[in-house]
Amino acid sequence: MLLVVFLTIINIWVYIGANQVQATTTEDVPIPISFDFNVSSTADGKDVVSSLQILFFLTVISLAPSLLIMMTSFTRIVVVLHFVRSAIGTQQTPPNQVLIGLALFLTLFIMSPVIMQVNEDALRPYSAGEISQQEAIETGLAPIRTFMLDQVNDKDLKLFLDISKVENISNQSDIPTTTLIPAFIISELRAAFIMGFLIYIPFIVIDMVVASTLMSMGMMMLPPVMISMPFKILLFILADGWSLVVRELVKTFYH
């Protein structure tokens, strides 16, 4: 029976294919034969400048996620949120998309004063033609540098200044941005790991209590994680964990 159905389907498919081939052969279908790509030289420097500006703009767009991670509060937030999920032991709950989305909106909330200042001082004057591109970059980078300097650890900043052999630093404006950014990232990771350690402590206590209780009852084959996870979730709910973590996390940027 199955063989008959299979042969019938094959016959129908061959019949349809033959009709399509006949229909396509009766009409002239244009087929592209060759492509022509021309690269010509120009004597006008404005065309070259416009092309370079487009290339620079596309490069900035492609690097926008990296700039968001490196120069904002995103790194600390997303690392702490992943520590929370690991401490509870819920594996992929909440999923990565939810954690990254929450970290992104918290970053926009924290960085909104900086973004507004960049828009007012750099983007709008540059769009109106009041300042040049170089002035717009320097003016727009100033609020971001101020934010990073407020959050960076002096020890990490000194480390990268020593590595890059930068001397004669009389004020903060003399610190190169290429030195400030890695120091800021290391400081953010340090702060995130400190908060992650503090988050882990109550959940580790629950794991230890559950494990010792099971051992005293002689239940060696029962995984302690299966028993401790509901208690950890209950503790997180009773303490209003997400609100507590987010509130304390945001407060660290307003010291």
Side-chain angles (χ1 to χ4, degrees), residues 4-253:
V4 174
V5 174
F6 181 72
L7 293 177
T8 304
I9 294 174
I10 292 178
N11 291 330
I12 295 174
W13 183 263
V14 171
Y15 177 76
I16 294 174
N19 291 335
Q20 289 180 348
V21 171
Q22 184 177 2
T24 54
T25 54
T26 56
E27 299 179 358
D28 295 332
V29 179
I31 300 176
I33 299 177
S34 61
F35 296 93
D36 188 12
F37 295 97
N38 293 324
V39 178
S40 59
S41 60
T42 179
D44 191 359
K46 294 182 179 180
D47 296 336
V48 178
V49 173
S50 299
S51 301
L52 292 177
Q53 288 178 347
I54 294 174
L55 179 62
F56 174 76
F57 181 71
L58 294 176
T59 304
V60 170
I61 292 178
S62 63
L63 294 177
S66 299
L67 295 176
L68 175 65
I69 293 174
M70 290 186 299
M71 304 172 65
T72 63
S73 59
F74 183 84
T75 302
R76 186 189 306 183
I77 295 173
V78 74
V79 172
V80 170
L81 293 180
H82 276 81
F83 268 120
V84 172
R85 186 178 66 180
S86 300
I88 300 175
T90 53
Q91 296 180 356
Q92 296 299 321
T93 304
N96 291 329
Q97 293 84 351
V98 175
L99 293 183
I100 294 175
L102 178 59
L104 180 60
F105 281 102
L106 288 177
T107 301
L108 293 176
F109 173 77
I110 295 171
M111 300 296 297
S112 57
V114 178
I115 296 174
M116 293 177 60
Q117 187 175 356
V118 171
N119 184 40
E120 292 291 336
D121 299 341
L123 293 180
R124 287 188 178 181
Y126 177 70
S127 301
E130 299 175 359
I131 58 177
S132 63
Q133 183 178 4
Q134 183 66 27
E135 293 175 346
I137 294 175
E138 294 177 355
T139 306
L141 191 60
I144 301 176
R145 281 176 54 89
T146 302
F147 173 79
M148 290 190 292
L149 288 169
D150 291 338
Q151 303 298 326
V152 71
N153 193 313
D154 295 336
K155 182 179 179 181
D156 297 327
L157 184 58
K158 185 178 183 303
L159 170 64
F160 282 94
L161 288 175
D162 294 338
I163 294 175
S164 59
K165 298 181 180 179
V166 177
E167 299 178 353
N168 299 325
I169 303 296
S170 58
N171 50 43
Q172 293 182 346
S173 60
D174 295 333
I175 301 175
T177 304
T178 54
T179 304
L180 177 60
I181 292 176
F184 171 74
I185 296 174
I186 296 298
S187 299
E188 291 295 287
L189 291 176
R190 180 198 301 272
F193 272 70
I194 293 174
M195 296 185 66
F197 171 75
L198 297 176
I199 291 171
Y200 256 97
I201 292 177
F203 299 107
I204 290 177
V205 172
I206 294 177
D207 288 333
M208 294 176 63
V209 171
V210 171
S212 61
T213 303
L214 293 177
M215 289 182 63
S216 63
M217 297 175 62
M219 298 180 180
M220 302 295 182
M221 303 302 294
L222 182 62
V225 178
M226 295 181 59
I227 306 300
S228 63
M229 183 181 296
F231 289 101
K232 290 191 289 186
I233 295 176
L234 180 62
L235 173 64
F236 195 73
I237 293 173
L238 293 177
D240 196 8
W242 289 114
S243 177
L244 180 63
V245 170
V246 170
R247 181 173 67 250
E248 298 302 323
L249 185 58
V250 172
K251 283 184 178 180
T252 58
F253 293 96

